Amino acid sequence: MAPTEPTTELHQGFSEPDATPPPWTEVSELLTDSEMFWLATVRKDGRPHVTPLPAVWLDGTLHFCTGAHEQKTRNLESNPHCVLTAGPNQFRTGLDAVVEGNAVRVTDAQRLPRLAALWKSKLDWDYDVTDDGFRDEFGRPVLVFGVSPAKVLAFSKSPYSQTRYRFTA
């Protein structure tokens, strides 16, 4: 689980002179409120793979679901490093976030019901909890992954800024 307050560093070279780092609570709120994220993984041959998917932020970890035979699952099996991004699709307003970390399968019997409840309340998706993940409404197995951030980049607009939040392992 990521700490509540990471180390914060405003990158002056990519920020306007009057910019200040957004508080971590604002970035965490973006991760909590966002429904869609972009997941970037790497194939075995080094080619990138990017796909949109819903994710939920719980206890300092960003969680997403996928099928066992999907490309992103195969990519994560050989290389767990990944990036998830979120934010408004706007140039002059809003806050964008980039979450870097390792995707780890979630099979914890206490965490899975909490995650299923979040997916239901946030997206109205019904998942049945199993011993090692979820089962969707059609009875298909669903793998659950969690990414505890090693680093989060936040990009503010008006004024423009780039802030790095680092987490201790």
Side-chain angles (χ1 to χ4, degrees):
M1 182 166 82
T4 308
E5 290 294 326
T7 303
T8 303
E9 176 188 346
L10 179 71
H11 192 300
Q12 297 293 340
F14 295 119
S15 301
E16 293 185 83
D18 58 341
T20 58
W24 173 247
T25 54
E26 186 177 330
V27 178
S28 181
E29 184 176 302
L30 169 70
L31 298 174
T32 300
D33 293 344
S34 293
E35 294 177 349
M36 291 301 294
F37 291 77
W38 289 91
L39 171 67
T41 59
V42 179
R43 292 175 171 94
K44 284 185 181 182
D45 65 6
R47 292 180 299 135
H49 178 263
V50 178
T51 186
L53 50 64
V56 295
W57 180 251
L58 176 66
D59 296 338
T61 299
L62 197 51
H63 299 84
F64 62 91
C65 297
T66 183
H69 301 293
E70 292 187 39
Q71 183 65 53
K72 56 189 160 287
T73 302
R74 292 193 308 269
N75 297 347
L76 294 170
E77 287 171 350
S78 64
N79 181 351
H81 302 304
C82 64
V83 173
L84 289 132
T85 63
N89 192 15
Q90 299 171 351
F91 179 67
R92 291 183 176 83
T93 61
L95 177 68
D96 299 312
V98 177
V99 177
E100 297 181 15
N102 290 332
V104 177
R105 281 281 309 277
V106 177
T107 59
D108 179 63
Q110 294 180 350
R111 181 169 292 268
L112 287 170
R114 293 176 63 206
L115 288 167
L118 272 174
W119 258 286
K120 176 64 177 171
S121 68
K122 186 174 184 178
L123 300 167
D124 199 27
W125 284 16
D126 288 313
Y127 284 126
D128 293 323
V129 176
T130 66
D131 290 340
D132 61 351
F134 296 152
R135 191 161 304 283
D136 69 14
E137 62 184 299
F138 303 107
R140 297 175 297 208
V142 177
L143 305 181
V144 181
F145 287 90
V147 178
S148 296
K151 175 173 73 173
V152 173
L153 297 174
F155 301 89
S156 297
K157 298 118 179 182
S158 190
Y160 292 100
S161 70
Q162 178 179 317
T163 304
R164 176 174 39 216
Y165 302 89
R166 289 204 182 267
F167 299 84
T168 55

